[in-house]
């Protein structure tokens, strides 16, 4: 409990639990609690204690879940069922806004969350921990899932402390239970004839007063403590060696075990669906036949799905082993980098509900066993029985604070469309709201056409109040975009992402290496360098394209040369009329020497081209700390919430798309990341 | 006819060897039928209209598998007169339940069923349309899902890629809130291997999925087969694959074993083609 | 300065010749080397013909072209100053694998093939210094060619129906 005077615990006979439910309902809340249905304990509306699963208990094992009736009067004698409270805080389908096309113009309206007032009855410690973890992912900023935040705020949490644990439970080793220590309004511990009731918040204190519980006796407190202790004791030895796990796991990206587990894994996504912290979604467009009224909708998705990491040029995680590795390393390792906590709360659902019984505890032990040699020779690891619960990293009090930046979709009119190559076009757009023109070189916008899911496009220039977007017509959405008539309107959101760090290049030589359409996000850098050339040293643009006809901005290349840039071009192949270089872009860097010059490099192009270029630049004397690359990943939201664009610990949309090669480490250019 | 009406895409709906259920799904889109007809010109759809057209078609929905010599010829002609060919349903996308004969001695089956088998012109195999001509898109299912059909037509009209995911039925089950009949009910549910699109309708009623939408991308059939085999006889597990999508490559091997077990003496290997 | 003296100078100053002993440099220069100038569109080697010349580009640019009947001559690589032309002079069957054309006025440090091969055969120490350099040049070219083969900038392969 943080910041409130501790109230003494109360005691509520079991027969009186109905009064609590009634109070909550009278206050206008729907009570969601456990019910036994279809062979499992699920969370649904509860109107009285007769709805609760009296006497039901669960038996869980990898790939197996069975309920059985014991005849006991206990109402909470089970652990966790297939789905947690995520169903109510981050529902499977959430409309995020509408786009309406009318009389040639478009209108975008963000959905206004209007969540029902709920009371969650029977929330376990691991589930509270999961909510706090999701709070960090979805509501801690800089961008916030408004719907999630509103639903969290509209739900009371009445926790229940576990007095038994299942064989797949391991909250003790993740430091999330079984004791409920924070995040609750009230917490109940079931005893033989009733409940120990303890307060966790102001709201809880108020409820307890209204409830008028009896004072708790020492026997009640002792029985409660004993119950929780027995749950803890059950979990001894069935956990995960959590300490130091992130580093060990990231050290084993090449373990053969990934291939072995992929042999068993169905990539069916059940583990991610039942996991209470998984938050990945996809954005779909639900529209009428004509696309005049279209709703964008976020629905549950999973990194195990084939298309999750797909981009126009291919798929970054095509194999099952890539995806399993992504899930496990994200959950247990890179989650720490992103959110300061583990993604796993030890609830064991992924183990039970995996159709083929893959047990993450077993996989982790096989892939990343503890380094025995590193343990001090005399100290022996304390038994899990005696572990004091690891405190949750304290959540900042303003974790549910308003977003720092608005991300509304604004309307922009297409003023002109010019063709750069046979399949690449530049749109010039005039936004109604000029704030979006404050673009740093390297940033991008999400472009929203009614009837389509939004897509990310780099900004290739800002000039005269217009935003220029260079687009390759690679799929239906981009094809539709380049076919718009001047005057047509589209939606834009942004500018988003971290751009090129021009301040690092001041006073230095600048090497710009672009491949294909990669010149588009680099053009704003050139624009900026030419605006204030006195602040930079010499500038080289090395540009590689497929053929001479596939080069972008051919009209400007000479202009840039005349302005003092060294512009070198090379193509993969050409006809006899081309008198320029033919080969690969790294050849333009041959026999250059930037050693003892603090040069800075900006790269954009296919990843393979960028990795080859990094090698060539390092040979030529530019360190990785001063080489910056712009990465491409699948993006559905552009604001770090849908989870698609993750690459190791990074959200490419939010931490990038520009990164220094040194911060990317050996994940850059690696297969299946 | 208004200019708008005159510019409607010409749509044909045809069938090969099938039960008609997939075509009827278009008619099942009751509320949408009129708007659809206003936006698409249904030039050939024998189930719904007496209007006939031999093409050309902007969009041709093809139901049914290639089961007779005439159908094998017809599909090639249809392809040559079609811009966008979309196969609908398990017969057209995988060969259908009738593909079970692919492992069998077809002439002897024919003789067992028909009094004058020589009147029946049947190929030895029932094969999906994609084994004969280039297919531009497919809707899985037995029958197809009306929502997916509507999404396809909407996508055609708007110009977006149809939102037809290759994810597993499990995602639909979990989004819907179904309790897993495999893990909690011990049923041999094919959901993890099956392409989504039906909304997880069978598990919603406590019945295991039987893979009528066919195998999803990279379906790991060996793994689930092994798992089911822990508590069942091999033949019981093999039979799970010998359904409407038996001939789909990921299901073919166990399906063939199931057929062979039912008809000893007939090869479980796929016949040469 | 005679043609051979200037060849020796050029040889000594580029990457190909760096690290060669003075003996090797003079041996190479004497046997078969000269500095030759080609005008734009001059043909240095013909695809399929015997490779008469092995050279190092000093300035200018040489295009390596293959004839594709439906497409005409396609330039698959250009050779910049410092790089080699006609390595096939040293590898059986000693026939050019592409047509080498000067794209602009180009100076080449040129070696006549037959005398060069003879000199390398007679002087194993010389051969031991020359062949690794040729191999290195060919290896770099192979690496570049592989990257070109990846067609990294290629347009979407799937027929974009939707």
């Amino acid at each position: 409990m943080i910041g409130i005077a501790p109230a003494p615990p109360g005691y509520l006979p079991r027969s009186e639990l109905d009064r609590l439910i009634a109070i909550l309902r009278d206050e206008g809340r729907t009570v969601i609690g456990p019910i036994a249905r279809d062979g499992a304990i699920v969370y649904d509306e509860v109107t009285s204690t007769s709805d609760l699963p009296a006497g039901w208990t669960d038996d869980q094992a990898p790939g197996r879940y069975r309920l059985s009736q014991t005849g006991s009067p206990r109402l909470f004698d089970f652990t966790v069922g297939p789905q947690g409270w995520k169903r109510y805080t981050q529902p499977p389908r959430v409309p995020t806004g509408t786009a309406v096309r009318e009389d040639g113009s478009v209108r975008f309206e963000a959905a206004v969350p209007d969540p029902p007032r709920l009371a969650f009855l029977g929330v376990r410690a691991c589930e509270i921990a999961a909510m706090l973890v999701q709070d960090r992912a979805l509501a801690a900023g800089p961008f916030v899932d408004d719907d999630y935040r509103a639903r969290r705020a509209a739900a009371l949490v009445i926790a229940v402390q576990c007095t038994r644990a299942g064989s797949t439970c391991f909250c003790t080793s993740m430091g999330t239970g079984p004791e409920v220590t924070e995040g609750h309004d009230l917490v109940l511990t079931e005893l033989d004839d009733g409940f120990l009731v303890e307060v966790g918040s102001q709201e809880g204190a108020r409820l307890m007063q209204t409830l008028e519980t009896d004072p708790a006796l020492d026997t009640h407190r002792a029985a409660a403590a004993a119950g929780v202790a027995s749950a803890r004791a059950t979990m001894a030895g069935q956990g995960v060696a959590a300490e130091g796990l992130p580093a060990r796991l990231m050290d084993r990206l090449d373990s053969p075990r990934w291939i072995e587990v992929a042999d068993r894994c169905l990539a069916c996504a059940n583990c991610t669906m039942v996991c209470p912290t998984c938050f990945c979604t996809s954005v779909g467009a639900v529209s009428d036949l004509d696309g005049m009224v279209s709703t964008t909708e976020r629905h549950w998705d999973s990194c195990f799905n084939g298309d999750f990491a797909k981009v126009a040029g291919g798929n970054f995680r095509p194999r099952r082993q890539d995806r399993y590795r992504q899930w496990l390393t994200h959950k247990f390792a890179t989650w720490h980098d992103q959110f300061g906590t583990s993604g796993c709360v030890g609830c064991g659902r992924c183990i039970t509900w995996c159709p083929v019984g893959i047990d993450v505890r077993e996989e982790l032990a096989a892939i990343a066993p503890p380094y025995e040699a590193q343990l001090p020779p005399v100290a022996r690891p304390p038994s899990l029985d005696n572990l004091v619960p690891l405190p949750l990293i304290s959540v900042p009090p303003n974790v549910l604070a308003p977003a720092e930046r608005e991300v509304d979709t604004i309307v922009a009119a297409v003023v002109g469309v010019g063709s750069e190559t046979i399949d690449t076009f530049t749109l010039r757009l005039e936004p109604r709201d000029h704030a979006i023109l404050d673009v740093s070189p390297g940033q991008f916008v999400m472009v929203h056409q009614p009837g389509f899911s939004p897509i990310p496009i780099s900004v290739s220039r800002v000039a005269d109040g217009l935003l220029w977007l260079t687009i390759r017509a690679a799929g239906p959405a981009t094809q539709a975009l380049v076919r718009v008539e001047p005057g047509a309107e589209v939606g834009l959101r942004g500018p988003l992402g971290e751009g090129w760090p021009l301040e690092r290049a001041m006073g230095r030589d600048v090497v710009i290496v672009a491949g294909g359409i990669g010149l588009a996000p680099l053009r704003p850098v050139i624009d900026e360098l030419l605006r204030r050339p006195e602040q930079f040293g010499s500038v080289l643009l090395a540009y590689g394209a497929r053929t001479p006809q596939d080069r972008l901005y051919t009209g400007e290349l000479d202009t840039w040369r005349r302005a003092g840039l060294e512009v070198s071009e090379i193509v993969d192949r050409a006809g006899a009329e081309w008198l320029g270089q033919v080969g690969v872009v790294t050849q333009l860097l041959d026999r250059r020497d930037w050693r003892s010059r603090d040069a800075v490099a900006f790269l954009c192009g296919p990843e393979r081209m960028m990795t080859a270029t990094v090698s060539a630049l390092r040979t030529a004397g530019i360190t990785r700390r001063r080489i910056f690359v712009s990465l491409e990943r699948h993006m559905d939201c552009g604001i770090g919430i849908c989870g698609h664009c993750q690459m190791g610990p990074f959200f490419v949309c939010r931490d990038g798309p520009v990164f220094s090669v040194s911060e990317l480490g050996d994940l850059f250019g690696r297969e299946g990341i | 006819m208004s200019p708008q009406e005159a510019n409607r895409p010409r749509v044909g709906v045809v069938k090969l060897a099938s039960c008609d259920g997939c075509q009827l799904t278009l008619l099942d889109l009751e509320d949408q039928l009129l708007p659809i007809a206003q936006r698409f010109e249904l030039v050939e759809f024998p189930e719904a209209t007496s209007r006939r057209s031999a093409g050309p078609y902007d969009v041709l929905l093809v139901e049914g598998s290639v089961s007779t010599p005439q159908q094998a010829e017809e599909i090639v002609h249809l392809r040559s007169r079609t811009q966008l060919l979309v196969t609908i349903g398990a017969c057209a996308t995988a060969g259908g339940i009738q593909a079970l004969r692919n492992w069998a001695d077809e002439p002897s089956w024919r003789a067992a069923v028909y009094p004058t088998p020589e009147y029946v012109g049947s190929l030895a195999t029932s094969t999906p349309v994609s084994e004969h001509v280039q297919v531009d898109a497919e809707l899985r299912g037995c029958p197809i899902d009306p929502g997916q059909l509507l999404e396809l037509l909407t996508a055609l009209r708007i110009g977006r890629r149809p939102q037809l995911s290759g994810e597993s039925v499990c995602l639909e089950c979990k989004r819907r809130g179904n309790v897993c009949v495999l893990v909690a009910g011990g049923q041999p549910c094919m959901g993890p291997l099956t392409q989504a699109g039906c909304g997880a309708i069978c598990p919603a009623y406590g019945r295991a999925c039987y893979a009528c939408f066919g195998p999803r991308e990279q379906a790991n059939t060996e793994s689930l087969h092994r798992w089911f085999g822990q508590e069942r006889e091999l033949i019981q597990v093999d039979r799970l694959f010998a359904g409407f999508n038996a001939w789909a490559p990921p299901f073919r091997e166990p399906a063939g074993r199931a057929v062979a077990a039912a008809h000893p003496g007939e090869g479980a290997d796929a016949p040469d083609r | 300065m005679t043609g051979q003296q200037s060849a020796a100078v050029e040889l000594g100053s580029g990457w190909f010749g760096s690290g060669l002993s003075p003996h090797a440099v003079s041996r190479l220069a004497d046997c078969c080397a000269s500095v030759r100038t080609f005008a734009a569109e001059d043909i240095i080697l013909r695809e399929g013909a015997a490779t008469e010349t092995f050279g190092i580009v000093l300035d200018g640019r040489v295009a390596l072209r293959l004839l594709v009947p439906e497409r005409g001559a396609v330039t698959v690589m250009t050779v910049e100053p410092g790089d080699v032309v006609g390595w096939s002079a040293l590898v059986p069957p000693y026939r050019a694998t592409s047509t080498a054309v000067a794209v602009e006025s180009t100076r080449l440090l040129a070696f006549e093939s037959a005398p060069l091969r003879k000199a390398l055969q007679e002087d194993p120490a010389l051969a031991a210094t020359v062949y690794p350099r040729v191999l290195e040049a060919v290896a770099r070219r192979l690496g570049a060619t592989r990257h070109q083969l990846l067609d990294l900038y290629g347009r979407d392969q799937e027929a974009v129906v939707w």
Side-chain angles (χ1 to χ4, degrees), chain B residues 52-75:
Chain B
R52 306 305 299 272
S53 165
Y57 310 106
D58 293 310
V59 182
L60 185 68
L61 303 181
V62 179
E63 182 198 293
S65 70
V66 174
S67 183
T68 68
Q70 294 85 341
Q71 287 163 350
E73 268 186 48
E74 187 188 352
I75 191 63

Side-chain angles (χ1 to χ4, degrees), chain C residues 2 12-14 16 18-20 23 27 40 42 46-47 62 74 77 85 89 99 103 106 111 115 123-125 141 150:
Chain C
T2 67
S13 60
F16 193 84
S18 73
L20 286 180
H23 154 75
R27 185 89 178 77
D42 278 354
R46 269 183 211 284
E47 182 185 348
V62 177
V74 178
M77 188 156 285
V85 171
T99 297
V103 162
T106 298
F111 299 85
D123 187 341
R141 198 156 293 179
L150 286 177

Side-chain angles (χ1 to χ4, degrees), chain A residues 502 505-508 510 528-529 532-539:
Chain A
L502 281 170
M506 282 170 60
R508 299 198 162 128
V510 182
E528 198 55 34
L529 294 177
R532 36 186 178 115
E534 68 286 353
Q535 292 186 1
F536 304 95
S538 68
V539 180

Side-chain angles (χ1 to χ4, degrees), chain A residues 396-412:
Chain A
N398 65 338
V399 71
L400 298 181
E404 290 170 13
R405 289 165 54 183
E406 288 300 318
V407 280
D408 286 331
T409 304
I410 58 129
V411 176

Side-chain angles (χ1 to χ4, degrees), chain B residues 154-175:
Chain B
T154 307
L156 267 169
R157 181 136 171 89
I158 297 179
R160 71 162 178 245
R161 187 177 277 123
Q163 293 162 115
L164 305 168
S165 175
E167 65 194 15
S168 70
V169 174
C170 300
L171 275 121
E172 294 191 314
C173 253
K174 291 295 190 289
R175 288 192 199 111

